[in-house]
């Protein structure tokens, strides 16, 4: 019989991620939090069902799925 092998470029491989909970502090923005964890604003918005990136509040807990190196 034949065996089908599907190859994918490495960049398309799902990344291993670990859940971190980030508590928003005064002066932080979605983009500064994203930069700190090496993720995108859009990813944080998707993970936390945020519609407007300007509407995060102090002490809000955000789920961040940080890439495991």
């Amino acid at each position: 019989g034949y065996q089908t092998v599907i190859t994918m470029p490495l960049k398309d491989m799902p990344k291993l991620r670990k859940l971190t909970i980030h508590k928003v502090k005064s002066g932080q923005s979605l983009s500064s939090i994203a930069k700190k964890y090496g993720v995108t604003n859009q990813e944080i918005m998707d993970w936390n069902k945020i519609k407007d990136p300007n509407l995060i509040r102090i002490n809000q807990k955000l789920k961040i799925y940080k890439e495991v190196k």
Side-chain angles (χ1 to χ4, degrees):
Y2 291 99
Q3 187 176 6
T4 304
V5 177
I6 299 169
T7 58
M8 285 189 338
L10 278 175
K11 67 177 180 50
D12 294 336
M13 294 292 285
K15 295 180 177 85
L16 196 59
R17 292 182 183 259
K18 178 173 163 264
L19 173 63
T20 301
I21 303 295
H22 177 85
K23 195 170 172 186
V24 180
K25 296 182 188 81
S26 176
Q28 287 186 319
S29 66
L30 206 60
S31 56
S32 69
I33 296 166
K35 196 175 195 177
K36 174 180 176 166
Y37 292 103
V39 298
T40 66
N41 293 12
Q42 191 58 56
E43 285 174 321
I44 295 177
M45 290 171 68
D46 292 345
W47 296 328
N48 295 280
K49 296 176 178 40
I50 296 170
K51 303 240 184 301
D52 183 342
N54 300 311
L55 293 181
I56 60 167
R57 8 175 244 294
I58 295 170
N59 293 330
Q60 182 175 349
K61 291 183 172 81
L62 298 176
K63 286 185 271 195
I64 312 277
Y65 291 91
K66 221 166 64 168
E67 197 176 323
V68 177
K69 301 258 185 257

